[in-house]
Amino acid sequence: MDYSATHSGFRQQPAMRLRSLPADAPDPSPLFEDTSRVRPGAQPGGYSAQPAVPPAGAYPGQTILSDPMSNLAMAYGSSLASQGKEMVDKNLDRFIPISKLKYYFAVDTVYVGKKLGLLVFPYLHENWEVSYQQDTPVAPRFDVNAPDLYIPFMGFITYVLVAGLALGTQNRFSPELLGVQASSAFVWLIMEVLAVLLSLYLVTVNTDLTTVDLLAFSGYKYVGMIVGVIGGLLFGRLGYHLSLLWCCAAIVVFMIRTLRLKLLSEAAAEGRLVRGARNQLRMYLTMSIAAAQPLFMYWLTYHLVR
Amino acid sequence: MAEADGSSRAFLGLSDVSISADIPVEGDISMPPTSSSKDDGFSTLDEPVKDTVLRDLKAVGNKFVHVLYPKKSKALLRDWDLWGPLLLCVTLALLLQGGSVDSKDDGGPQFAEVFVIIWFGSLIITLNSKLLGGTISFFQSLCVLGYCIMPLTVAMVVCRIVLLGGSGTVSFVVRLVVVCASFGWSTFASTAFLADSQPQNRKALVVYPVFLFYFVIGWMILTFAPAQ
């Protein structure tokens, strides 16, 4: 069964080694499984004393694989392969921290429902603090205030598809436009995140907001944009403007209330009036981040609704 | 403690075997020839090509049957292969040629665009499923999504036949019904396989991008209009 791993093609045997690994643990146990049966025949000391004479009566195709030299070669090749895989995993983990990304996807349906409701109607929610558990934030599944990446990701894709739909109803659609919409929205998102990062750096705010958090917060506006475009498709320009207005107000309130706790000092976050240039600067920063959201929402959707 | 005793006993046993340097050790380390019944896998080099091709075709056909009658079986997941998705993707892309969406365009989606949409969409769904903590592997998920395009391909064939008879309102309604039915069938078939790999409270989160994916393909099929 191991020897068939060398066959190419679409058979499932080449993947058996992949399948025996659990989803995210780079454990080398398949390596040990594969070579433990090969090892008795692959003693390096035996080569000089042993010519590779095939036993009589063996199948011609089997002599290649029963030769101890090729056993060693296969063991070496499989160990190289798994070493390469580990190296790729390690290096990839340095640039895109997969384990940290998994935190942002630890959501469930109830959380997504509540968060979508919050994004459209944040006025009644009272407690905006993210709960912590011994210095690490709690997974989004357990705390509706924690940022996640599922909603922004799905919102982005849905926005691109709804944009294609809207253009299709005006007979302006072609499949390249899907790619154009997607890339332009993505570039605007990246520029917004970079601008926020730059301003956070300039104002020297001491916050525990990570880049991925900022990406998540910037991605929440896609929900409002989708609602606006669908309203425009169903009810015409008036419906578009009304629903977009509602969603813009909602996202401004949402962003201010969320960022206030992260950017401002504790006293100011509680609403007490704190004088001082630094606090004023932070308040302006929060306001401008929140005010940028409706601008982006309008900019990315007005050409979709005629 | 028992293990330490056992290992010390083993060492005791070994320690009274003495190998002196002037006794040559010899033996035979070639692998014994294994019988063909045990190792069916690698003797496919010797069988006639017809057998190999027929075996693969049978596996592909078996999976088509599984998609037609989606029950919660693990066969699609266990023996994944990508021939079926490739075949379906190429068929669908070929059938979507020769349409005119707009008088300015020279046709509907180009072949490469359909290909890219299908494979890129499958990639995104798989990535999402893995990030949500699913137990399904990358290629298994590609296999399932590709095979479940089959109802939509059948709908495309039906739509082309219906369009041969004219493109009025009746034909549009018929096409709409056919495409909606096959879209529902595709989504249901793929969730029967994909949603099993997720715990209960996340099934809807995995199903949503699948729904979007087949919606896009169904939309492409529905808006296909042949060139006049």
Side-chain angles (χ1 to χ4, degrees), chain A residues 53-301:
Chain A
V53 173
Y59 287 101
Q62 290 188 4
T63 53
I64 307 174
L65 300 160
S66 56
D67 183 12
M69 189 61 127
S70 63
N71 287 342
L72 179 69
M74 245 182 320
Y76 185 58
S78 64
S79 85
L80 263 187
S82 72
Q83 267 176 29
K85 182 174 184 305
E86 280 175 35
M87 202 166 57
V88 165
D89 277 342
K90 203 166 47 139
N91 281 332
L92 190 64
D93 215 40
R94 266 196 304 170
F95 296 118
I96 310 173
I98 302 280
S99 48
K100 279 207 227 143
L101 267 187
K102 280 208 152 201
Y103 161 77
Y104 290 98
F105 278 88
V107 296
D108 62 354
T109 323
V110 172
Y111 167 84
V112 169
K114 280 202 220 156
K115 194 82 176 191
L116 287 177
L118 257 190
L119 283 169
V120 176
F121 196 79
Y123 308 107
L124 294 180
H125 190 73
E126 278 164 7
N127 180 22
W128 293 84
E129 290 231 356
V130 180
S131 27
Y132 283 82
Q133 189 195 21
Q134 295 160 353
D135 267 358
T136 54
V138 166
R141 208 178 309 160
F142 304 116
D143 177 23
V144 81
N145 292 320
D148 73 307
L149 273 182
Y150 176 82
I151 293 180
F153 189 42
M154 288 298 128
F156 181 77
I157 295 177
T158 315
Y159 160 72
V160 171
L161 295 177
V162 166
L165 200 76
L167 288 174
T169 54
Q170 301 160 26
N171 287 330
R172 283 190 295 151
F173 178 72
S174 78
E176 296 102 40
L177 280 184
L178 277 181
V180 167
Q181 287 287 330
S183 53
S184 71
F186 188 64
V187 165
W188 280 116
L189 182 72
I190 299 289
M191 291 205 329
E192 181 190 348
V193 170
L194 285 180
V196 172
L197 274 177
L198 182 69
S199 43
L200 281 179
Y201 171 72
L202 286 177
V203 175
T204 61
V205 159
N206 208 7
T207 175
D208 58 350
L209 274 181
T210 61
T211 315
V212 187
D213 278 341
L214 286 175
L215 195 68
F217 286 133
S218 304
Y220 281 142
K221 61 171 160 318
Y222 289 118
V223 177
M225 292 201 288
I226 293 168
V227 171
V229 174
I230 293 188
L233 281 178
L234 292 175
F235 303 117
R237 285 198 75 100
L238 185 65
Y240 165 68
H241 283 297
L242 283 180
S243 45
L244 198 68
L245 204 63
W246 175 271
C247 292
C248 286
I251 199 94
V252 164
V253 171
F254 177 85
M255 289 296 272
I256 290 187
R257 287 197 182 163
T258 312
L259 288 179
R260 190 172 63 171
L261 289 167
K262 300 242 170 198
L263 291 182
L264 300 183
S265 61
E266 280 213 16
E270 282 169 21
R272 280 182 270 148
L273 212 56
V274 179
R275 296 245 170 253
R278 255 174 82 219
N279 273 320
Q280 278 214 330
L281 207 52
R282 290 186 190 184
M283 182 56 97
Y284 286 147
L285 178 66
T286 319
M287 296 289 200
S288 50
I289 295 178
Q293 309 294 316
L295 288 179
F296 278 117
M297 285 168 73
Y298 186 66
W299 177 260
L300 287 171
T301 50

Side-chain angles (χ1 to χ4, degrees), chain A residues 14-37:
Chain A
M16 294 245 295
R17 201 174 294 133
L18 286 173
R19 267 210 291 278
S20 56
L21 294 172
D24 40 0
D27 60 334
S29 54
L31 166 62
F32 292 157
E33 276 176 47
D34 287 340
T35 58
S36 62
R37 270 181 269 169

Side-chain angles (χ1 to χ4, degrees), chain B residues 59-81:
Chain B
V60 168
N62 187 29
K63 290 199 201 41
F64 277 135
V65 169
H66 271 286
V67 171
L68 278 180
Y69 302 109
K71 329 180 273 283
K72 283 195 192 339
S73 82
K74 300 287 179 200
L76 249 190
L77 289 183
R78 220 181 24 230
D79 315 322
W80 61 268
D81 72 79

Side-chain angles (χ1 to χ4, degrees), chain B residues 6-24:
Chain B
S7 63
S8 63
R9 228 174 286 128
F11 274 110
L12 273 177
L14 278 178
S15 65
D16 39 287
V17 171
S18 62
I19 302 181
S20 64
D22 48 5
I23 302 179

Side-chain angles (χ1 to χ4, degrees), chain B:
Chain B
M1 285 307 280
E3 296 155 15
D5 281 337
S7 63
S8 63
R9 228 174 286 128
F11 274 110
L12 273 177
L14 278 178
S15 65
D16 39 287
V17 171
S18 62
I19 302 181
S20 64
D22 48 5
I23 302 179
V25 177
E26 54 183 64
D28 188 358
I29 38 177
S30 65
M31 295 285 290
T34 50
S35 58
S36 66
S37 61
K38 202 170 63 144
D39 261 339
D40 204 359
F42 75 86
S43 61
T44 58
L45 266 182
D46 300 329
E47 63 178 12
V49 174
K50 182 170 73 105
D51 279 355
T52 316
V53 171
L54 274 183
R55 183 183 25 220
D56 275 339
L57 278 179
K58 271 204 207 106
V60 168
N62 187 29
K63 290 199 201 41
F64 277 135
V65 169
H66 271 286
V67 171
L68 278 180
Y69 302 109
K71 329 180 273 283
K72 283 195 192 339
S73 82
K74 300 287 179 200
L76 249 190
L77 289 183
R78 220 181 24 230
D79 315 322
W80 61 268
D81 72 79
L82 291 175
W83 285 117
L86 180 71
L87 202 67
L88 287 170
C89 190
V90 168
T91 314
L92 191 62
L94 282 177
L95 285 174
L96 277 172
Q97 296 302 298
S100 69
V101 173
D102 202 359
S103 55
K104 292 186 295 227
D105 283 301
D106 60 339
Q110 303 297 317
F111 186 89
E113 284 162 356
V114 177
F115 231 83
V116 162
I117 287 179
I118 291 182
W119 290 98
F120 198 62
S122 309
L123 192 76
I124 290 187
I125 296 177
T126 311
L127 196 67
N128 175 56
S129 174
K130 282 192 85 78
L131 279 172
L132 278 174
T135 53
I136 200 170
S137 95
F138 179 67
F139 285 113
Q140 282 170 348
S141 166
L142 278 185
C143 165
V144 167
L145 288 167
Y147 270 106
C148 292
I149 294 185
M150 191 184 73
L152 283 166
T153 312
V154 168
M156 182 71 212
V157 171
V158 170
C159 280
R160 276 213 99 143
I161 296 178
V162 166
L163 277 172
L164 281 179
S167 51
T169 318
V170 171
S171 97
F172 178 73
V173 167
V174 167
R175 280 185 293 140
L176 184 68
V177 166
V178 166
V179 169
C180 282
S182 59
F183 157 72
W185 192 358
S186 286
T187 313
F188 175 66
S190 63
T191 51
F193 297 110
L194 280 181
D196 263 352
S197 66
Q198 296 280 354
Q200 183 62 37
N201 58 350
R202 287 203 281 248
K203 284 206 206 290
L205 299 182
V206 176
V207 169
Y208 175 67
V210 174
F211 166 85
L212 281 183
F213 176 62
Y214 289 128
F215 181 78
V216 167
I217 298 183
W219 183 257
M220 280 199 299
I221 294 178
L222 193 60
T223 56
F224 173 78
Q228 303 307 71

